[in-house]
């Protein structure tokens, strides 16, 4: 009688260990499943300073942006995806470098539009994962060198970490 009980105990313990290992591996695979590495964002988000809506963002840095209700924001152009009522957003300025490419990554779910010369710019590439803790999406835009406006909308939380990087 003791052998089957002991065997059951061993099997339950092994199952618990394997289940825990699988969850840990799934979390690691979540971030590794992006189309491009997001390790820079992970490091930047850990120390992202607070920023207000309308902030000037710098390429190579991240910020923890305070958002406002979307119905109080004057977007340069209407967001491509209409934000749901009760969601949050913000705008921010960025100087696009001569290379003209930006990679914008967010910590949570939100819509990203980039506006340059009064027009929304179509994104060049998208990657998103719901299984990566702390990073939800990363998008790339091909732009002209000079000023641009980043529009965030449809966020469900009142703050959002954003990293603006040159693609690797």
């Amino acid at each position: 009688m003791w052998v089957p009980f002991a065997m059951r105990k061993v099997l339950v313990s092994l199952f618990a260990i394997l289940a825990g290992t699988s969850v840990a591996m799934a979390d690691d695979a979540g971030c590794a499943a992006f189309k491009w590495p997001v390790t820079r964002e992970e490091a930047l988000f850990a120390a992202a300073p607070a920023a207000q809506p309308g902030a000037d963002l710098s390429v190579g840095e991240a910020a923890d942006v305070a958002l406002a209700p979307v119905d109080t924001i004057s977007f340069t152009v209407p967001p491509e995806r209409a934000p749901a009522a009760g969601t949050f957003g913000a705008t921010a300025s960025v100087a696009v470098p001569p290379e003209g490419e930006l990679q914008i990554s967010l910590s949570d779910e939100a819509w990203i539009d980039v506006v340059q010369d009064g027009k929304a710019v179509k994104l060049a590439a998208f990657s998103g994962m719901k299984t990566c803790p702390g990073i939800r999406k990363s998008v790339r835009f091909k732009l002209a060198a000079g000023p641009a406006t980043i529009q965030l909308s449809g966020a469900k939380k009142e703050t959002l970490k954003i990293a603006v990087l040159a693609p690797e």
Side-chain angles (χ1 to χ4, degrees):
M1 181 106 184
W2 285 102
V3 173
F5 177 75
M7 186 67 98
R8 243 184 281 154
K9 222 173 158 179
V10 168
L11 287 173
V12 168
S13 296
L14 284 173
F15 179 74
I17 291 169
L18 289 173
T21 304
S22 296
V23 168
M25 288 173 56
D27 284 345
D28 291 343
C31 295
F34 274 92
K35 291 179 183 172
W36 47 81
V38 292
T39 52
R40 296 181 300 165
E41 289 87 335
E42 289 175 312
L44 290 169
F45 283 172
Q52 294 302 310
D56 289 327
L57 302 177
S58 297
V59 176
E61 296 180 359
D64 192 356
V65 179
L67 307 178
V70 289
D71 57 355
T72 66
I73 300 171
S74 296
F75 291 111
T76 306
V77 299
E80 184 178 327
R81 179 178 290 169
T87 59
F88 302 91
T91 60
S93 300
V94 65
V96 179
E99 301 80 40
E101 289 189 77
L102 290 183
Q103 178 175 305
I104 301 170
S105 302
L106 301 180
S107 60
D108 288 298
E109 189 103 14
W111 187 258
I112 303 170
D113 289 298
V114 175
V115 179
Q116 196 169 45
D117 297 325
K119 297 178 191 138
V121 178
K122 294 288 183 199
L123 63 93
F126 167 86
S127 189
M129 292 291 132
K130 292 184 178 184
T131 57
C132 179
I135 302 174
R136 170 60 185 94
K137 72 183 338 180
S138 186
V139 295
R140 291 180 173 175
F141 292 88
K142 292 185 188 239
L143 304 156
T149 300
I150 299 170
Q151 298 184 160
L152 305 172
S153 60
K156 294 178 180 162
K157 298 180 181 180
E158 294 183 24
T159 63
L160 185 66
K161 292 181 181 177
I162 179 172
V164 181
L165 303 167
E168 290 184 307

